[in-house]
Amino acid sequence: MVDTSDQWIIERTGIKQRHIVDKGTATSDLACQAARQALERRGLSPADIESIVIGTVTPDMLFPSTACLVQDKLGCKNAWGFDVSAACSGFLYALQTGVQFVQTGAHKRVLVIGAAVMSSIIDYTDRATCVIFGDGAGAVIIEPAHDNEPAFIDFLHEVDGSGACSLNMPAGGSLNPATCETVEKKMHFVHQDGAAVFKYAVRKMAEVSVRVLERNGFKGSDVNVFIPHQANKRIITATADRLGLPAERVIINIDRYGNTTAGTIPLAMQTAIEEGRMKNGDLVLLASVGAGFTVGATLLRWAL
């Protein structure tokens, strides 16, 4: 459908395969699957969850929120929740929201999900986007840490609204509601200036990672596991080089999943667990750059 090749895609992005949902599968469906696995692994029931925060740019519908739909589908009768729209930084923004609820004592268990059905908003005749994105979801449960237990250390978030023109979905909101014209102009699909996004992401992912480490007295060499947003392998390796991290400390699974926006970091956390690359007490750095532009970094000690 587009002028490209497997070799070009791998060399430019590092992507070898992606996963696309069956027709009729919604973001809430993926989110529920991930949440059920997290609950089962932790030995909890849906009734144990007090709040649900979902990072996504592909909600089932504008309203109600995907969090409302997930709450009902899972049977989390004691939970309230909402969605966070921060594109590829959506999981980190949702994660820190959940962390704040727990740190303040407002809640004891918060379910945080990053999920997207990107195939629903991709124009498969647009080479700038169609070779990049896939569908996926991941979930974590935030709980209080006891004294001397591994815990969240710090976070650093930024937005730069001047980058909105470089990566967006122009129609579907109040500015350009759906019309025959917006559909004909393919304004309900993702539009991206790849060069501008790449340049910004290479600079900011490294910059925010260094800043959050330095203000907590760490260097790149102190990081045991670096889990970045999986947008482009070249962006990841450039950031790892800036931090002085060897390849064995960097989690890369973009070759298997592509860019699932808010789903990439929790999926990469799962990869780190499956490959035995993340141990209890490890210093873990998460980082992302997304449309908006949104930027995020989280520093934590991993707790099994």
Side-chain angles (χ1 to χ4, degrees):
M1 296 176 69
V2 294
D3 180 19
T4 191
S5 67
D6 183 58
Q7 181 179 356
W8 186 92
I9 295 170
I10 293 173
E11 289 177 353
R12 294 298 184 96
T13 68
I15 298 169
K16 296 182 179 180
Q17 69 177 24
R18 295 169 296 166
H19 299 261
I20 304 299
V21 300
D22 292 332
K23 185 177 181 180
T25 300
T27 294
S28 64
D29 296 319
L30 292 187
C32 284
Q33 288 186 47
R36 290 188 184 103
Q37 290 181 33
L39 288 166
E40 181 179 358
R41 185 170 296 172
R42 187 67 182 91
L44 298 173
S45 74
D48 293 318
I49 299 300
E50 298 171 59
S51 183
I52 302 169
V53 188
I54 300 181
T56 187
V57 289
T58 61
D60 290 25
M61 57 197 78
L62 284 178
F63 63 88
S65 70
T66 306
C68 285
L69 304 176
V70 168
Q71 183 266 353
D72 180 56
K73 289 182 178 181
L74 287 178
C76 298
K77 60 183 180 180
N78 298 315
W80 71 288
F82 54 92
D83 295 353
V84 173
S85 179
C88 296
S89 299
F91 177 75
L92 288 192
Y93 284 29
L95 182 69
Q96 283 305 322
T97 303
V99 168
Q100 300 307 311
F101 282 136
V102 174
Q103 285 185 339
T104 61
H107 297 308
K108 291 184 178 180
R109 294 190 179 96
V110 178
L111 176 63
V112 176
I113 304 171
V117 176
M118 291 302 294
S119 59
S120 66
I121 57 172
I122 295 299
D123 174 8
Y124 284 93
T125 65
D126 175 16
R127 189 175 74 163
T129 58
C130 74
V131 302
I132 298 171
F133 296 96
D135 302 335
V140 298
I141 298 167
I142 309 298
E143 298 179 270
H146 299 293
D147 291 342
N148 300 318
E149 277 189 337
F152 284 89
I153 298 170
D154 198 5
F155 74 98
L156 185 60
H157 292 169
E158 296 180 14
V159 297
D160 181 355
S162 68
C165 58
S166 297
L167 181 53
N168 59 43
M169 189 175 75
S174 59
L175 177 62
N176 295 300
T179 64
C180 291
E181 183 180 12
T182 63
V183 173
E184 290 171 358
K185 291 183 176 180
K186 299 185 177 181
M187 295 172 66
H188 297 269
F189 293 127
V190 173
H191 290 245
Q192 174 174 264
D193 179 345
V197 173
F198 180 87
K199 182 178 180 180
Y200 185 86
V202 166
R203 176 172 62 87
K204 292 302 294 188
M205 188 179 288
E207 181 182 296
V208 73
S209 296
V210 169
R211 285 173 57 197
V212 77
L213 286 168
E214 288 182 344
R215 79 179 190 182
N216 288 279
F218 295 110
K219 303 184 298 293
S221 57
D222 295 317
V223 175
N224 300 112
V225 185
F226 176 45
I227 304 179
H229 167 53
Q230 309 285 308
N232 183 297
K233 187 176 181 180
R234 292 185 294 160
I235 296 173
I236 296 170
T237 55
T239 304
D241 289 344
R242 170 78 182 278
L243 295 172
L245 289 172
E248 59 268 22
R249 297 190 191 181
V250 183
I251 306 300
I252 300 177
N253 66 3
I254 190 173
D255 55 313
R256 285 166 267 181
Y257 302 109
N259 183 350
T260 57
T261 62
T264 67
I265 289 179
L267 285 171
M269 293 172 74
Q270 176 69 18
T271 294
I273 293 169
E274 291 174 348
E275 296 179 355
R277 298 170 64 184
M278 196 155 57
K279 304 182 296 296
N280 198 52
D282 276 352
L283 183 65
V284 179
L285 174 65
L286 316 176
S288 65
V289 173
F293 289 120
T294 59
V295 184
T298 294
L299 193 61
L300 59 91
R301 289 285 180 185
W302 177 248
L304 297 177

